[in-house]
């Protein structure tokens, strides 16, 4: 009977629409999570780059201090050697 067939097709269509809506919700949630992870990864990479720059600056300052200490030690030795 065609009325039954129309009813069945209407129910199938409604089920397909509901499934599609569910998939779209899942897709939106997955995209939101992915976007958040991407942003977090970008922020972490930026912080890592800044930390590396700070490390390099600290190494340079330490090397400068060691050089200055070496010069001062040398001056002290020269002063001690001169009577």
């Amino acid at each position: 009977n065609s009325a039954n067939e129309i009813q069945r097709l209407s129910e199938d269509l409604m089920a397909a629409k509901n499934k599609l809506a569910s998939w779209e919700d899942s897709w939106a949630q997955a995209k939101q999570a992915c976007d958040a992870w991407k942003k977090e990864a970008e922020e972490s990479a930026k912080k890592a780059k800044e930390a590396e720059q700070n490390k390099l600056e600290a190494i340079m300052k330490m090397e400068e201090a060691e050089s200055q200490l070496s010069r001062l030690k040398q001056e002290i030795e020269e002063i001690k050697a001169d009577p």
Side-chain angles (χ1 to χ4, degrees):
N1 159 340
S2 72
N4 288 340
E5 182 68 15
I6 291 172
Q7 178 65 28
R8 186 187 65 76
L9 291 173
S10 178
E11 290 171 359
D12 288 350
L13 178 60
M14 185 59 68
K17 285 181 178 180
N18 289 338
K19 192 173 221 176
L20 178 60
S22 174
W23 287 347
E24 287 174 342
D25 287 345
S26 295
W27 168 255
Q29 290 175 6
K31 184 177 182 329
Q32 185 178 16
C34 185
D35 289 345
W37 291 333
K38 182 180 177 183
K39 182 178 179 182
E40 186 177 320
E42 289 169 351
E43 290 172 356
S44 294
K46 181 181 176 184
K47 287 179 182 178
K49 185 176 179 179
E50 290 171 356
E52 180 65 20
Q53 184 63 35
N54 290 340
K55 176 184 139 189
L56 293 175
E57 289 173 8
I59 289 172
M60 287 177 57
K61 287 179 181 179
M62 184 181 73
E63 289 173 350
E64 289 173 12
E66 288 173 345
S67 177
Q68 185 177 8
L69 176 63
S70 178
R71 283 192 308 270
L72 291 173
K73 284 181 178 181
Q74 185 177 3
E75 287 179 24
I76 290 171
E77 290 302 318
E78 290 173 2
I79 291 171
K80 285 182 180 179
D82 287 339

